[in-house]
Amino acid sequence: MKILSALPLLLILSSASAQVIIMPFAEAAKQGMTYKKLDSLYRGTRPFHSGTQEEYVKEENALLRRKTQIARKIFGIRTAPAAIMYHLYTNKTGRFDYLLYEIRGQISPESEKALVDSLRHLLNAYRFGVKITSAHVSSHFMNLGLIRSIPKGDSIISSLEAAQSTTRPDTVKVLALNQLELTQVPDVMYRFPNLKELNLSGNELKIAHIAVNRLPKLRQIWLNNNQLTDSSLHLTQNKTLQILNIQGNRFTDIPQAVKNCRRLKSLWMGYNNLTALNQKSFRKLRRLQDINLYSCGLKTLPKDIVKLRRLEVLDVYYNDLSTIPPSVSRMRRLQQLALSHNQLTLLPDNLGKLRHLQALYLHHNRLNRLPGSIGKLTSLQILDIGYNQFSTLPAQIGSLHRMEEMDMSYNNLSEVPPPLPYLRQLKKLYLRENPVAQDAQLREHSKAIVQILEAKNIQVSY
């Protein structure tokens, strides 16, 4: 077993021949290897590889596909969903040191052992095609087996056979042809004049031509988790489509096909490597209300994104953003801003102009202060600043009178912030893994504030 407590990183990572250690988070924590501790040791520098980001993402996706194949072989098609969430720690030689995991859902001990043994064999033998130059940690979530989600109802068809044989195509509103290993878009969809939702997710599509104008009532298209590229998606010009999910493909920019959907409200493009995203990418998308750019390798937000004045939800989880442009304050209709798992060290001073903001997610960044203008976010109900470097919070947070839930876990707070009793709607407060939560003497200094909070039936979690 590798000893972490006192050894410098150089010693921890020195053994190039060591075998990967795989264990559940809970077991690792009992041995003093919390993932917070490991994350700090393996944070490393950026970039942590030679070659381009595109080359590394290609290699990482190849490894993920190998792991997914292993999971499907072991678990097959499941009726009850199960997944594994894990952190993978890679040393500067490119070898894997640790995989800490948590299983979500029910699986047998035998299946878990088979999965762990298979992953150990894969990781011990695997070598990246690009050179790793620094230790790093990556986080992943993977389904165990194949769960085919099929909606139920009289107006739903979920197989090609049924789509071809139905004698009442006018009654069909949802065509769910997901996870059928399709390699081309089936023309049978044009049989259904009242179709509202087309689901082709989780197939093997490399090209998708959809004449949306032939389906006048179509409102939603799901093409996520295929193999589409910028030039292989084709949607005819239309004013009907409202929701488009193209996550988990091979896009590097927002394809022209998306801009043909003049009244699109929701665009989900997460898990694409959007290296070509630029100032012109969001043109003709002014009606968007919800955009998801989850885990897209973004280092900056294009300035033009602020022209999406109708945007209500902006989700950029798991990117490499170090700053947020002050112009984001122009997006006055924003209700949810999700900036977690980035590299942010500072927030714009004019953040308070987002008066309609209801949820602000900032956890897992490098922040140590909030702007004073945060007190002007009078609609804010959820604030999550966990896993940052806060030692104090501004007095202005006492003005957040609609606040219902605050998470300040894993910071450097030595006291419970004095303004909290002024939050009239507060229901839940999380202070886990702060000095004030771990040190009895510090807790005593904040005892009066905690008593006030608890007297108001506020749930305080240490």
Side-chain angles (χ1 to χ4, degrees), residues 359-376:
L360 178 58
Y361 298 100
L362 298 167
H363 57 88
H364 291 87
N365 276 287
R366 299 179 181 181
L367 298 165
N368 58 27
R369 77 174 187 88
L370 293 173
S373 67
I374 196 168
K376 297 179 180 179

Side-chain angles (χ1 to χ4, degrees), residues 17 51 77 97 103 109 112 137 141 154 183 230 354 374 392 435:
S17 61
I77 298 177
D97 284 337
I103 301 291
E112 182 174 351
V137 56
F141 186 89
D154 296 334
T183 57
D230 295 355
L354 301 175
I374 196 168
T392 61

Side-chain angles (χ1 to χ4, degrees), residues 183-219:
T183 57
Q184 60 184 11
V185 176
D187 287 339
V188 71
M189 65 184 174
Y190 298 117
R191 290 193 67 201
F192 308 109
N194 296 315
L195 192 66
K196 292 185 176 180
E197 179 179 338
L198 174 63
N199 190 338
L200 293 168
S201 63
N203 283 295
E204 303 294 330
L205 300 176
K206 295 183 178 180
I207 300 175
H209 289 264
I210 300 176
V212 183
N213 56 317
R214 293 177 59 185
L215 299 166
K217 296 188 178 180
L218 189 62
R219 300 293 181 267

